[in-house]
Amino acid sequence: MTERRDASRLSRAELEQWFDTVLAAHGPALGRLASSYTRTTGEREDLLQEIALAIWTALPRFRGECSERTFLFRIAHNRAIAHVSRRRLPVVDAETSPQVEDATPDPERALSSEQQGRRLLTAIQRLPLAYAQVVTLTLEGLSYEEIADVLGISESNVGARLTRARTMLRRLLRDSDGS
């Protein structure tokens, strides 16, 4: 839903319905975002709960000054930063990291794709937070303008961070091939 809303005029039932719709539409993307800030499934679930609560609390204040999607990602990003600042991130364990699913029927290709997805997620998690943020939001399909709005930085800074992040990711992925 990208139309402008005056959320302050919604009844509790309308607000609950909107909240359910928002989580149904954006839940998977918010889960992937949470995965980029956490290292274990338990931490991811904790962060997702924090994000959902923050969205519920903020939704009545949505004024339509940005897209609903940007609004949600901004909330999720802020919760994730607070979460990271409260917890020291453990070393990544590939066995407990979220699995990237592939719906192709070919088992070899599915296994290869799953392994590549795991390698990419592990590499993204090893990036400094500022770079992991732009990569994750880019992978979620946000534009430079939306990413800039979510992170509170300029669009040119988004581009610069993304360029550096890609370079770091190539190096991390190349190094993991050699190990």
Side-chain angles (χ1 to χ4, degrees):
M1 297 182 170
T2 57
E3 79 255 13
R4 297 219 183 267
R5 293 181 179 258
D6 183 357
S8 65
R9 295 179 187 224
L10 295 177
S11 70
R12 177 153 177 109
E14 291 170 323
L15 192 58
E16 287 174 3
Q17 183 179 13
W18 186 23
F19 177 73
D20 290 342
T21 302
V22 161
L23 286 187
H26 301 286
L30 294 172
R32 290 185 296 270
L33 178 99
S35 291
S36 72
Y37 286 87
T38 59
R39 301 294 192 252
T40 67
T41 303
E43 278 190 24
R44 177 182 175 268
E45 294 303 317
D46 288 348
L47 179 53
L48 278 173
Q49 287 180 5
E50 289 179 36
I51 290 170
L53 180 61
I55 289 171
W56 172 254
T57 303
L59 216 47
R61 295 187 307 272
F62 180 66
R63 295 183 308 260
E65 294 172 347
C66 61
S67 74
E68 181 181 271
R69 185 174 178 198
T70 301
F71 180 73
L72 297 174
F73 273 98
R74 181 71 177 178
I75 292 166
H77 164 72
N78 288 340
R79 283 290 93 218
I81 293 297
H83 181 84
V84 167
S85 70
R86 287 191 315 269
R87 291 188 161 90
R88 193 175 136 164
L89 297 176
V91 176
V92 174
D93 179 4
E95 295 301 314
T96 60
S97 64
Q99 302 298 310
V100 177
E101 307 239 355
D102 185 0
T104 59
D106 179 11
E108 269 184 47
R109 190 167 39 184
L111 179 62
S112 174
S113 181
E114 180 182 323
Q115 289 170 343
Q116 288 174 343
R118 247 188 310 208
R119 282 183 59 229
L120 179 59
L121 179 60
T122 299
I124 290 170
Q125 290 174 333
R126 291 180 59 202
L127 290 174
L129 186 57
Y131 300 111
Q133 292 168 333
V134 294
V135 169
T136 300
L137 295 172
T138 299
L139 290 174
E140 288 303 329
L142 272 69
S143 68
Y144 278 27
E145 179 182 9
E146 291 171 318
I147 295 169
D149 191 30
V150 167
L151 299 179
I153 60 177
S154 68
E155 286 181 55
S156 60
N157 198 326
V158 170
R161 285 186 188 184
L162 193 53
T163 298
R164 289 183 199 121
R166 287 179 179 141
T167 301
M168 288 183 232
L169 279 173
R170 278 189 212 101
R171 187 174 307 123
L172 288 166
L173 292 169
R174 186 178 54 240
D175 291 349
S176 72
D177 281 340
S179 51

